[in-house]
Amino acid sequence: MAAATAVQTQLAAQQGTASKVISGVTKVTLTINGKEQAVSVEPRTTLLDVLRYQLDLTGAKPVSMDSSSGASTVLVDDQPMSASSLLAVACVGKKIRTVESLGGDKPDAVPAAFVAHDAQQCGFCTPGFVVAVRAFLDKHPRATEEEIRKGLNGNICRCGTYANIIQAAIAVVKGGK
Amino acid sequence: MADIQYSWPDRDSSKVIGGRQIRLDGMAKSTGAAKYAYDINLKNMLVARALGSPHAHCTIKSIDSAQAEKVPGVVHVHVLDHAKPGREIRWQGELLVIVAAETEAAAMEGVSKLRVEYEPLEVFVDEFNLEAAKKAGRTSKDGGKVQLEKEPGDDEDEATFADKELERLFKQSAHVVEGFYGIDAITHCCLEPHGATVYWDNDQLIAYLSTQNVSGTDEGFANDLKIPADKIEVRCQYVGGGFGSKFAPDYWGTAAARIAKATGRPVKLMLSRDQEFKLGGNRPSAYLKVRLGADKDGVVTVWDSDHWSSPGADGPGVPQGVIPYVFAPKNYRRAVTKVTTNNGPARAWRAPNHPQGCAITQTAYDDMAARMGISSYDLFLKNLGTDDSPGVAGAKPSVYAAEMEIAARLIDWKAKWHPHGKGARRGDIVDGLGMSLHTWGGGGHESTCTVKIHPDGGVESFCGTQDIGSGTRTVCAMVLAETFGLGVDAIRINYGSSRFPVSGPSGGSTTVGGVSESHRRAGQEALAKICEMVAEKLGVPAAELIADDGRIKARGDAKKSVAWKEACAMLGMKPLEVTATFRPSRNKSPLSDTKVGGVQMAHVEVDTRTGLIRMRKFVAVQDMGLIINRRLAESQIYGAVIMGIAYSLFEQRISDPASGAFLNADMSKYNLCRLGDIGEIVVEMYEPESERSRGVIGLGEPPVIGPGAAISNAVCNALGFRVPVLPLTPQRVLEAIKNNAGRA
Amino acid sequence: MKAFEYAAPSTEAEAIELMTERAGTVEILAGGTDLVGLMKQMLVNPDRVVNLMEIRSLREIEPTPSGGVSIGAAVSLEQILDSHYLDPYASLKQAINNISSMQLRCQGTLGGELCQRPQCWFFRGGHGLLGDDGRAVAQGDNRYHAVFANAGPAKFVNNSRLAPALIVRDARLRIVGPSPDAEQWVDLADFYRIPRHGEQRENVLRAGQFVSHIELPDPGSFQCATYEVRQGAGPEYPLTAAAARLNVQSGVVRDAKIVLGHVAPTPWRSEDAEHELIGKPLTAETIEAAGLAAIRLATPLSRNEYKVTLAQVSVERAVRMAAGLPPGGF
Ligand SMILES: Cc1cc2nc3c(=O)[nH]c(=O)nc-3n(C[C@H](O)[C@@H](O)[C@H](O)COP(=O)(O)OP(=O)(O)OC[C@H]3O[C@@H](n4cnc5c(N)ncnc54)[C@H](O)[C@@H]3O)c2cc1C
Ligand code: FES
């Protein structure tokens, strides 16, 4: 018998059977920003809907049907992904971090640099961009300006904050965070 | 109390104004704490989604919602009035039926189960093709104007005279250019779609609306819902883009209110992405045929143009007033045709009509330079005229000339310019320079502000304005901080509710002018009252007191002063409340003004085998009167230039000629500029004392006007011939190369 | 999205079983970058979704005994970039880097990249895979559609950005199912097909089958490159692309393979271009002749003639890059 996957294990614990197929509304636990969160989802529920409607974590934004804008970017096991095209059930057992985890009393260096370099106007694209920059710089902490210009093209900003975002990213690299 | 002289502190004594204060809500935006209409979650809330018409032109035969109502989770189905059987639908995406459900997924499933029968009607969307539009009966005359230095004789027919006179002027011209230029329709593409989250508190409607017009949209709800406006509160702390498209509640906003009423539950209704593209607003296209003649120096003396423009199904097209743009030749005839299509109706788009006017006419001026073999810089300069005898509209010729000089230095025009098509080649790549001029009004709108000073020294303001991303909150705080000699953090700004004193909509770059007026006025008046109290205590005339550094001080005598808190404590138990209003009038206000000018230059590279264009450098020099926040002003200009690059190179609404469908109505297919596309952008703010002393002038729009012409001119300079229609896609560049075979 | 059942098996066999139970109404989920959007827009409406991402064997990159590399279908594109095993296949990494969104590369998988559905705006607009049997495309705006092999109802282009790079490398696919232990190997070049009617899909997979692995042979001493005509810096699909593989000895091309992307309903091999190269000295004239030969069979639609030029230039530039020359343009 194959090893059970995370979602199966959770359901088995709830229902006493190792059900392979999930349908209808199901209770699952997601690990979000370091906290275990019990949510109820259908298979079709996206991670973005869970974050926004059940947990009131509205930093990740719904912008496109096709995950091409980057506005819903979150970190899944430290990889940047679009919450709008992830099924919530597929995220059980994974470590999810949203932009909200970069805020709080001691904000992360990336949002701080966004503020210092005014890398936001209307701000609707900003949370997705902040997470994308965080992920990019985690992977390329010494990125050059050229690499930054090549590396941050998964997000769209309609207000045109790109020039400021480039400066913010350069500042984070310089600050070594 | 003596009349108050409203004024700004001069450059040297300003502590806050003109500085680089960081945006006050930057951290909220950068960490997801900022709540937009889309983000408001209310207890027991329903989520609504709508069915949009799949056809661009049809009549509704029947609607059957029985299956939709059976979908688990669906609570309410609302058929819009304009979708009742028999009604005509004139563009794709028009909402027909709204389904409200417990979850978004259920609402969408409900929408998919609606059964609507349509009778398709003939479709026309090919606005580029004037002949086809005429054949389809979709054209109408849309104004025009003739102005000639010579007047017709008494018995002469005006039209015949104009024909003859123009012919004579062209014959007399040393150089004549004939050309065709155009710019396609684009959409606003706000990242936060239009929509609202609403609820009823008994008979009161609370609407969290994604809007640029907090103070004006309560009326919109009231008129449509037929309830008194005082029963409505519109709220908006953050709006995810508007660009001129979010001034009204829209019928879907009021429908949300109706559904909330019918179900007794809060409702969130936001447009889907494709609906946002199709309904959320677009900027009219414009195409122009022109003949222009210049004297031997290159001064254009005669202009004869015919242009057509399409606002989609409804609304005004690009008017004759922006033709030619900024330049004002002595003799002209300009005629306009409007083309109506089965596309969603146009809405105001950042600097309405100016970007199109600039892009389709300053390109013609540039072609005149190319014809004469001279630098566009020299030709533009000659056509400016002088301050006494201007050849341009908007800003003064001397302002443009000074800005041109700065821009040329920043882009190294002299060293980098080469005659059109005569540059060095690097592999298949050629480069070129181009420029443009623009102007905009930007006078402040009507705005009322209440300033409240608490006996403990706390300062707040209330104003029914909004921050669309241009930094209104920060600007208001800076104005009051400067006025009271306090730090920006000491000021609490309250805005974003229609319950607050009325302030104008954020359109036309009127907000910063308007709110800095109302905040400064209310602030100065409040300060005068505080000073009166302090005057008695210090034994110094109130007029001799100033607010500085957290104290009220006697001018020139540092020993005589009281701390701000101490001064406010004199109020006793009651806070001081002062309300002031700014109303734009013919008399110039000492605090604000109107009319700015700007110059932009672009340096591009073109790959002559693929038609790809890359931005190397873009320089924007901008006049904006008195600058309140240099950092935010710069951001506005960067953003405007980037939007400009998008519409110059990438963005266009693509309508299917056969079905009328909006084919690229999704983010992956509606090409926008990305971070790697912008090249180097240099922003320079032109603020000599002569301009600063005019007071505050709005800036949101002007810098978005010029990129189209500047970039098109740079591409023309690189290639040696014009790619006539924006956006300059590889397809179009290659077609132009083919049409000019051997010249690239 | 229509409601559906969901399963995330942990072995291939389990996955096959879950798929065959509901044969014909199942969709495979990998990264979801394409599938979830298609389901949201109700263009794809499965009764059951089987997620491959929990199958460990599908998430590994391993060297093969014959000196090549095997890549699990559920390996993310970013993982490929990061893998040293794939360093010898620089042109594959180059092609992945062209997908300039880190999010898409981290979430998207190699299997999903190869099996993604066409971006044709008539398909995505609800007119079916063939766009009303090809009529919508023929009569409508077809600026991004096929310029080769477009005589039948299918006029969309295959969007895979990695298939051309992998085909010139003679990549093979391991396909498993529909019976629990069935496996077969297929050349990637033979994996795609042009559907003749709306019931057919764009590849040879039958119900109950999926791609488990992609295998690259020994990198050999070839010189490979991929060139894409990308309008901007974003991850948007290129207008045309070409991958080239050359074996050049003492200045003469001994062997060549040229595959174009985004020009036909399948990746498009150009033997005509290859013939122009093989046996010739690698000069500017040879390269130009290869570009011209590549478009000899082009049959542009009403609005996409420019793509023929771009296809020609793509071939020339891919060859130049494979030869170690600068592409000449962007
Ligand atoms: C708007 C948009 C723009 C994009 N732009 C680009 C782009 O420019 N270039 C680019 O390369 N990518 C682009 N992508 C990503 C694109 O979807 C793929 O590149 C991605 O790698 C798909 O991987 P996935 O794992 O997310 O696939 P999924 O979405 O999970 O699956 C895609 C399809 O393949 C099938 N499938 C997946 N795995 C297998 C398998 N092992 N066997 C059989 N069938 C399988 C699925 O059933 C589905 O039909 C874009 C995606 C979107 C939505
Ligand atoms: S700040 Fe408005 S979309 Fe980026």
Side-chain angles (χ1 to χ4, degrees):
Chain A
M1 156 100 208
T5 55
V7 71
Q8 285 173 9
T9 314
Q10 271 195 16
L11 291 175
Q14 277 170 30
Q15 304 164 354
T17 61
S19 151
K20 280 184 189 156
V21 177
I22 305 170
S23 63
V25 180
T26 311
K27 282 220 179 315
V28 297
T29 303
L30 295 175
T31 311
I32 295 171
N33 298 336
K35 267 211 270 203
E36 307 276 295
Q37 300 274 13
V39 295
S40 44
V41 299
E42 295 176 77
R44 66 178 168 179
T45 310
T46 61
L47 176 61
L48 185 64
D49 279 357
V50 170
L51 293 174
R52 293 178 56 82
Y53 287 115
Q54 293 191 45
L55 303 173
D56 204 31
L57 292 169
T58 55
K61 306 288 189 222
V63 165
S64 59
M65 289 293 252
D66 60 14
S67 61
S68 58
S69 79
S72 71
T73 304
V74 296
L75 300 176
V76 179
D77 287 341
D78 298 324
Q79 305 285 306
M81 298 191 184
S82 290
S84 66
S85 59
L86 287 168
L87 299 182
V89 280
C91 295
V92 172
K94 300 194 183 340
K95 210 170 81 216
I96 295 155
R97 281 175 67 201
T98 68
V99 70
E100 285 85 356
S101 74
L102 303 175
D105 295 340
K106 282 199 189 138
D108 179 83
V110 172
F114 267 60
V115 177
H117 294 272
D118 202 34
Q120 68 248 301
Q121 288 189 28
C122 81
F124 208 72
C125 72
T126 312
F129 243 122
V130 164
V131 177
V133 171
R134 183 68 276 165
F136 174 73
L137 294 181
D138 281 345
K139 186 159 183 193
H140 309 281
R142 286 157 195 269
T144 61
E145 176 169 344
E146 200 189 326
E147 286 161 350
I148 287 167
R149 285 179 187 259
K150 282 218 171 91
L152 289 172
N153 287 295
N155 296 64
I156 288 173
C157 172
R158 184 48 158 159
C159 300
T161 57
Y162 301 135
N164 308 59
I165 292 170
I166 294 169
Q167 293 313 313
I170 291 173
V172 177
V173 171
K174 280 201 183 132
K177 288 185 230 155
Chain B
M1 195 180 76
D3 261 2
I4 290 174
Q5 299 296 313
Y6 300 121
S7 67
W8 295 112
D10 59 34
R11 205 188 289 258
D12 295 335
S13 48
S14 290
K15 291 256 165 96
V16 181
I17 288 191
R20 301 182 64 83
Q21 169 66 43
I22 59 167
R23 195 182 286 267
L24 295 176
D25 47 15
M27 192 52 86
K29 286 177 175 171
S30 286
T31 58
K35 295 282 180 190
Y36 299 74
Y38 210 145
D39 299 337
I40 302 291
N41 286 321
L42 301 169
K43 207 164 158 245
N44 212 19
M45 180 178 79
L46 295 171
V47 183
R49 287 272 150 179
L51 171 72
S53 170
H55 298 285
H57 195 192
C58 62
T59 43
I60 305 293
K61 286 168 71 180
S62 69
I63 294 181
D64 173 3
S65 59
Q67 294 307 310
E69 279 158 25
K70 285 193 201 131
V71 170
V74 168
V75 173
H76 189 85
V77 176
H78 177 82
V79 179
L80 289 154
D81 275 344
H82 61 244
K84 297 267 154 71
R87 303 300 281 272
E88 181 183 346
I89 299 296
R90 291 187 299 144
W91 53 85
Q92 196 196 29
E94 181 72 314
L95 306 188
L96 307 176
V97 186
I98 299 169
V99 177
E102 302 290 349
T103 64
E104 195 171 308
M108 283 164 77
E109 189 179 351
V111 167
S112 77
K113 293 277 162 64
L114 292 164
R115 291 290 159 261
V116 181
E117 276 186 292
Y118 308 90
E119 174 83 45
L121 300 172
E122 185 210 3
V123 164
F124 181 82
V125 291
D126 195 3
E127 61 205 77
F128 181 77
N129 189 339
L130 185 62
E131 287 316 307
K134 280 185 183 151
K135 244 190 234 151
R138 300 296 193 115
T139 58
S140 57
K141 282 272 158 259
D142 196 22
K145 194 171 170 189
V146 184
Q147 184 174 302
L148 298 166
E149 281 177 295
K150 275 199 176 173
E151 299 210 347
D154 287 344
D155 50 356
E156 241 173 327
D157 172 59
E158 284 192 26
T160 328
F161 171 77
D163 280 343
K164 269 204 258 161
E165 176 62 6
L166 286 166
E167 268 331 297
R168 189 186 67 78
L169 288 163
F170 279 116
K171 259 203 201 110
Q172 189 185 293
S173 299
H175 308 277
V176 175
V177 162
E178 249 179 277
F180 168 69
Y181 310 89
I183 179 165
D184 287 343
I186 63 169
T187 73
H188 294 67
C189 192
C190 306
L191 287 207
E192 182 187 29
H194 286 63
T197 303
V198 304
Y199 72 96
W200 291 86
D201 180 4
N202 296 315
D203 62 346
Q204 309 259 335
L205 174 69
I206 315 294
Y208 295 90
L209 181 68
S210 182
T211 186
Q212 305 174 241
N213 188 8
V214 166
S215 283
T217 33
D218 50 352
E219 298 291 336
F221 277 108
N223 290 342
D224 199 353
L225 297 171
K226 313 248 178 319
I227 58 171
D230 61 10
K231 299 254 186 257
I232 296 163
E233 181 181 356
V234 172
R235 295 182 186 163
C236 178
Q237 284 296 309
Y238 296 97
V239 48
F243 314 111
S245 68
K246 288 182 179 166
F247 291 127
D250 288 311
Y251 67 77
W252 46 85
T254 48
R258 288 200 167 90
I259 297 170
K261 187 101 212 174
T263 56
R265 296 175 64 176
V267 170
K268 185 197 302 291
L269 171 54
M270 308 299 293
L271 297 185
S272 67
R273 180 49 50 187
D274 74 301
Q275 289 161 357
E276 178 64 19
F277 272 110
K278 292 165 186 165
L279 311 177
N282 61 74
R283 183 178 84 177
S285 59
Y287 309 96
L288 170 120
K289 285 186 176 144
V290 64
R291 186 152 65 127
L292 60 161
D295 65 18
K296 63 178 191 340
D297 294 329
V299 176
V300 174
T301 51
V302 52
W303 173 278
D304 188 11
S305 72
D306 224 324
H307 82 265
W308 70 99
S309 169
S310 178
D314 266 324
V318 173
Q320 55 87 20
V322 293
I323 307 294
Y325 185 67
V326 171
F327 293 116
K330 296 224 157 61
N331 301 284
Y332 60 78
R333 175 167 64 184
R334 42 205 201 195
V336 193
T337 303
K338 181 158 114 178
V339 176
T340 41
T341 67
N342 296 108
N343 279 308
R347 294 187 173 196
W349 192 99
R350 213 170 175 179
N353 304 318
H354 286 227
Q356 301 100 306
C358 188
I360 60 179
T361 64
Q362 292 192 4
T363 38
Y365 272 68
D366 188 69
D367 279 351
M368 179 62 79
R371 165 68 46 87
M372 295 171 62
I374 64 170
S375 163
S376 331
Y377 187 93
D378 297 336
L379 183 118
F380 276 45
L381 195 61
K382 289 214 172 93
N383 278 281
L384 291 178
T386 61
D387 286 1
D388 295 333
S389 166
V392 289
K396 284 186 297 205
S398 56
V399 169
Y400 288 122
E403 289 177 339
M404 279 175 64
E405 207 180 310
I406 297 169
R409 178 167 45 76
L410 291 171
I411 209 160
D412 202 5
W413 184 283
K414 278 213 180 78
K416 299 223 162 81
W417 186 82
H418 54 72
H420 286 72
K422 301 270 172 14
R425 198 173 250 282
R426 198 163 48 80
D428 297 323
I429 297 169
V430 289
D431 76 318
L433 288 181
M435 66 170 292
S436 66
L437 313 176
H438 61 261
T439 184
W440 187 252
H445 56 217
E446 181 165 331
S447 177
T448 299
C449 168
T450 297
V451 166
K452 193 166 176 182
I453 299 182
H454 295 274
D456 66 358
V459 180
E460 342 180 41
S461 72
F462 299 84
C463 179
T465 186
Q466 52 279 320
D467 190 336
I468 59 171
S470 43
T472 313
R473 181 198 297 266
T474 313
V475 162
C476 294
M478 288 172 78
V479 167
L480 292 181
E482 181 78 52
T483 308
F484 298 125
L486 300 172
V488 170
D489 299 339
I491 315 289
R492 186 186 158 87
I493 301 293
N494 298 286
Y495 71 88
S497 163
S498 62
R499 295 260 189 253
F500 294 154
V502 173
S503 199
S506 288
S509 303
T510 56
T511 304
V512 168
V515 300
S516 59
E517 279 271 8
S518 63
H519 284 67
R520 179 70 177 175
R521 285 169 186 240
Q524 277 191 282
E525 288 180 24
L527 178 64
K529 294 203 168 135
I530 300 276
C531 287
E532 268 171 40
M533 296 186 308
V534 175
E536 248 171 77
K537 176 168 173 161
L538 294 181
V540 177
E544 286 306 304
L545 292 173
I546 55 167
D548 182 29
D549 220 1
R551 306 188 73 80
I552 303 292
K553 301 177 180 168
R555 204 186 305 269
D557 183 355
K559 272 183 279 165
K560 290 196 171 162
S561 75
V562 297
W564 172 255
K565 276 199 170 175
E566 222 178 299
C568 295
M570 295 178 199
L571 289 167
M573 302 295 285
K574 248 189 0 204
L576 168 69
E577 206 174 271
V578 176
T579 297
T581 297
F582 166 67
R583 281 195 192 82
S585 75
R586 279 175 198 286
N587 302 332
K588 181 176 166 344
S589 158
L591 295 179
S592 67
D593 200 4
T594 167
K595 282 261 160 29
V596 296
V599 171
Q600 301 191 334
M601 293 185 178
H603 187 190
V604 305
E605 290 182 329
V606 186
D607 181 331
T608 53
R609 297 207 61 210
T610 56
L612 295 173
I613 297 167
R614 298 276 187 267
M615 297 303 303
R616 261 167 76 165
K617 186 164 177 175
F618 195 98
V619 171
V621 182
Q622 187 65 50
D623 147 40
M624 67 201 81
L626 177 145
I627 299 165
I628 293 191
N629 185 325
R630 208 161 289 277
R631 184 191 304 276
L632 296 185
E634 267 169 26
S635 294
Q636 283 296 295
I637 302 175
Y638 281 127
V641 168
I642 290 167
M643 255 183 148
I645 294 171
Y647 74 68
S648 302
L649 300 183
F650 301 108
E651 230 187 311
Q652 66 191 138
R653 176 186 62 204
I654 302 176
S655 305
D656 188 39
S659 66
F662 186 152
L663 292 171
N664 58 336
D666 207 346
M667 296 307 286
S668 63
K669 297 190 170 56
Y670 187 85
N671 290 342
L672 286 167
C673 186
R674 300 259 183 172
L675 183 140
D677 290 315
I678 63 174
E680 182 192 359
I681 302 175
V682 178
V683 167
E684 178 76 18
M685 283 172 282
Y686 181 68
E687 198 198 23
E689 203 44 45
S690 58
E691 304 310 310
R692 187 184 187 279
S693 61
R694 296 164 61 202
V696 180
I697 316 174
L699 163 77
E701 281 154 307
V704 88
I705 297 166
I711 291 171
S712 175
N713 290 344
V715 169
C716 178
N717 181 242
L719 290 171
F721 47 82
R722 181 71 47 187
V723 184
V725 180
L726 297 181
L728 306 174
T729 59
Q731 178 168 20
R732 286 185 168 147
V733 176
L734 287 179
E735 274 159 17
I737 288 174
K738 203 164 138 195
N739 295 339
N740 291 275
R743 289 182 58 197
Chain C
M1 262 183 270
K2 201 190 77 161
F4 52 79
E5 298 174 346
Y6 170 87
S10 53
T11 65
E12 286 182 5
E14 239 184 334
I16 294 166
E17 191 188 321
L18 285 161
M19 287 174 69
T20 43
E21 273 173 15
R22 285 290 181 96
T25 59
V26 177
E27 289 290 335
I28 291 169
L29 175 68
T33 56
D34 192 21
L35 181 66
V36 174
L38 287 164
M39 293 195 299
K40 275 195 219 166
Q41 295 177 69
M42 303 194 86
L43 296 167
V44 174
N45 300 295
D47 290 338
R48 176 179 287 182
V49 168
V50 177
N51 182 359
L52 299 184
M53 299 303 282
E54 305 287 346
I55 305 175
R56 196 155 308 151
S57 60
L58 265 53
R59 305 205 57 177
E60 280 161 4
I61 303 177
E62 284 172 327
T64 61
S66 55
V69 182
S70 159
I71 310 172
V75 163
S76 78
L77 305 180
E78 191 79 1
Q79 249 177 297
I80 297 178
L81 280 187
D82 293 345
S83 166
H84 293 303
Y85 293 130
L86 290 158
D87 285 346
Y89 306 88
S91 72
L92 173 65
K93 291 197 175 188
Q94 188 189 2
I96 293 176
N97 264 320
N98 284 339
I99 303 170
S100 62
S101 153
M102 188 172 171
Q103 293 93 316
L104 282 176
R105 293 195 308 263
C106 288
Q107 191 176 339
T109 63
L110 181 55
E113 210 289 333
L114 296 175
C115 297
Q116 61 180 300
R117 311 299 310 276
Q119 287 292 333
C120 162
W121 49 31
F122 297 103
F123 169 48
R124 302 269 167 170
H127 292 263
L129 176 60
L130 302 179
D132 301 337
D133 265 337
R135 285 188 309 277
V137 188
Q139 294 160 12
D141 193 320
N142 46 38
R143 70 182 72 185
Y144 298 132
H145 285 80
V147 291
F148 292 100
N150 52 11
K155 302 180 198 299
F156 58 81
V157 297
N158 179 289
N159 315 302
S160 173
R161 290 168 89 157
L162 304 186
L166 289 167
I167 291 173
V168 297
R169 282 283 185 186
D170 299 325
R172 296 192 311 155
L173 304 182
R174 177 171 172 267
I175 293 172
V176 297
S179 59
D181 49 0
E183 87 165 21
Q184 79 193 77
W185 286 90
V186 174
D187 284 345
L188 180 56
D190 300 328
F191 177 63
Y192 298 102
R193 65 148 180 229
I194 301 180
R196 296 275 144 212
H197 55 78
E199 300 305 301
Q200 288 180 334
R201 282 229 177 154
E202 314 89 78
N203 58 47
V204 299
L205 291 178
R206 286 177 289 130
Q209 285 189 319
F210 63 91
V211 176
S212 73
H213 292 82
I214 293 87
E215 193 178 293
L216 284 161
D218 181 313
S221 54
F222 302 117
Q223 296 162 264
C224 296
T226 308
Y227 178 82
E228 294 186 343
V229 181
R230 290 169 65 199
Q231 205 190 332
E236 287 80 10
Y237 292 89
L239 296 166
T240 63
R245 180 186 85 187
L246 301 179
N247 183 348
V248 186
Q249 282 164 23
S250 10
V252 175
V253 182
R254 295 293 159 205
D255 182 27
K257 197 159 179 183
I258 305 289
V259 177
L260 290 95
H262 311 272
V263 295
T266 65
W268 184 251
R269 174 148 178 211
S270 178
E271 290 180 0
D272 287 346
E274 293 165 9
H275 284 312
E276 287 296 335
L277 292 165
I278 296 170
K280 306 258 173 63
L282 195 57
T283 61
E285 289 72 37
T286 315
I287 295 173
E288 204 177 312
L292 270 176
I295 58 170
R296 205 170 289 145
L297 293 178
T299 49
L301 302 168
S302 57
R303 291 172 186 242
N304 65 5
E305 178 123 32
Y306 76 104
K307 281 189 70 170
V308 177
T309 310
L310 293 179
Q312 175 190 352
V313 179
S314 299
V315 168
E316 285 182 35
R317 290 186 175 172
V319 172
R320 287 176 62 86
M321 286 165 72
L325 301 167
F330 299 131

